[in-house]
Amino acid sequence: MRQILCFGDSNTYGYVPGTGKRYPWGVRWTSILNEMLGMQKYRVIEEGLCGRTTVYEDVTRRNRDGSKVLPVVLESQGNCDLVIIMLGTNDCKTSYRASAEEIGEGMRKLIRQVRTYSGSSEILIMAPIHLGDGVWEKGYDTEFGEKSLGVSWRLGEVYRNVAKQEGVFFLNAADYAQPSAVDREHLDPEGHRRLAEAVYESLRNWGFVSDI
């Protein structure tokens, strides 16, 4: 059985927009991907946490710095065949004051951690979906600001360059899915489905998935 680790934030966790609950199995993109790949041949490990960043620590919620957690997860899971990392949305919060380039360097650090702790793993980095216009407005997520939107939109270009430099796979989630109108931040069921399909087709095109 081949193992795929999906390391991400609330959109990997499966956060339901506007409720704080979690989508069930069969709705989350990670679970749909597992079903598409085949439950007998592939195991998708869902490692998503709301608020997780690449390298920034949230002063109000502990253990959100992905670079402090990823090595532990990699060691506990053993060498996975593929590690998928989709982070960057929370890095856009105004409190971190991070540029797209700085967030890209955070992703580069995670790539190098995978190589250190799980050297045989293939790596796919995914630029997250874009933040929705007005996500910072009252009633939505005021941890973001107007500048967050521009940073979010630039992550695809930055991550693409990082992937090329590091020799890893890349996918821009924003090419396939958009945030829900409910909270302008998280995937709805249709977005989860579209993202799962995009990842699946990309894995087939790259030769990671053979005839199944």
Side-chain angles (χ1 to χ4, degrees):
M1 179 174 285
R2 307 190 78 186
Q3 289 202 142
I4 300 173
L5 172 65
C6 295
F7 188 75
D9 53 29
S10 51
N11 274 322
T12 296
Y13 170 81
Y15 183 96
V16 181
T19 71
K21 296 180 180 179
R22 190 186 191 194
Y23 284 121
W25 180 273
V27 178
R28 302 189 296 268
W29 73 265
T30 45
S31 65
I32 297 171
L33 176 64
N34 205 158
E35 292 176 348
M36 294 178 74
L37 289 168
M39 302 292 290
Q40 301 302 314
K41 293 185 178 181
Y42 293 85
R43 175 177 176 240
V44 173
I45 303 164
E46 302 175 299
E47 181 49 58
L49 178 66
C50 298
R52 179 176 283 156
T53 67
T54 58
V55 296
Y56 300 103
E57 191 63 82
D58 190 324
V59 296
T60 62
R61 290 186 291 179
R62 299 180 62 185
N63 304 315
R64 263 49 187 184
D65 179 346
S67 67
K68 292 182 179 178
V69 178
L70 182 56
V72 178
V73 173
L74 292 169
E75 286 197 86
S76 69
Q77 295 298 333
N79 280 323
C80 294
D81 296 279
L82 174 67
V83 176
I84 300 175
I85 306 173
M86 185 171 71
L87 287 171
T89 296
N90 293 299
D91 304 54
C92 297
K93 292 177 179 178
T94 55
S95 61
Y96 301 129
R97 301 179 180 178
S99 66
E101 288 76 16
E102 289 169 330
I103 297 170
E105 289 306 306
M107 180 60 79
R108 192 190 305 274
K109 180 176 182 178
L110 299 179
I111 292 170
R112 294 180 176 179
Q113 286 182 329
V114 175
R115 288 182 170 148
T116 298
Y117 292 92
S118 186
S120 64
S121 299
E122 296 278 9
I123 303 171
L124 163 61
I125 64 170
M126 294 170 54
I129 61 171
H130 296 153
L131 289 168
D133 191 28
V135 67
W136 59 85
E137 294 174 352
K138 185 177 180 181
Y140 294 93
D141 194 336
T142 56
E143 290 186 278
F144 296 103
E146 290 187 48
K147 291 184 178 179
S148 302
L149 195 64
V151 175
S152 168
W153 277 72
R154 290 207 59 238
L155 288 181
E157 174 190 355
V158 171
Y159 281 20
R160 186 186 302 275
N161 290 334
V162 171
K164 184 176 181 180
Q165 293 162 5
E166 296 292 329
V168 301
F169 296 124
F170 167 76
L171 188 145
N172 188 8
D175 288 341
Y176 305 95
Q178 300 176 353
S180 166
V182 174
D183 69 0
R184 305 173 183 176
E185 184 178 355
H186 295 99
L187 293 164
D188 60 15
E190 177 66 10
H192 276 275
R193 183 187 65 79
R194 287 180 178 273
L195 184 56
E197 290 173 350
V199 174
Y200 175 78
E201 289 303 322
S202 295
L203 295 181
R204 286 187 64 87
N205 292 337
W206 294 329
F208 179 80
V209 179
S210 58
D211 188 22
I212 56 176

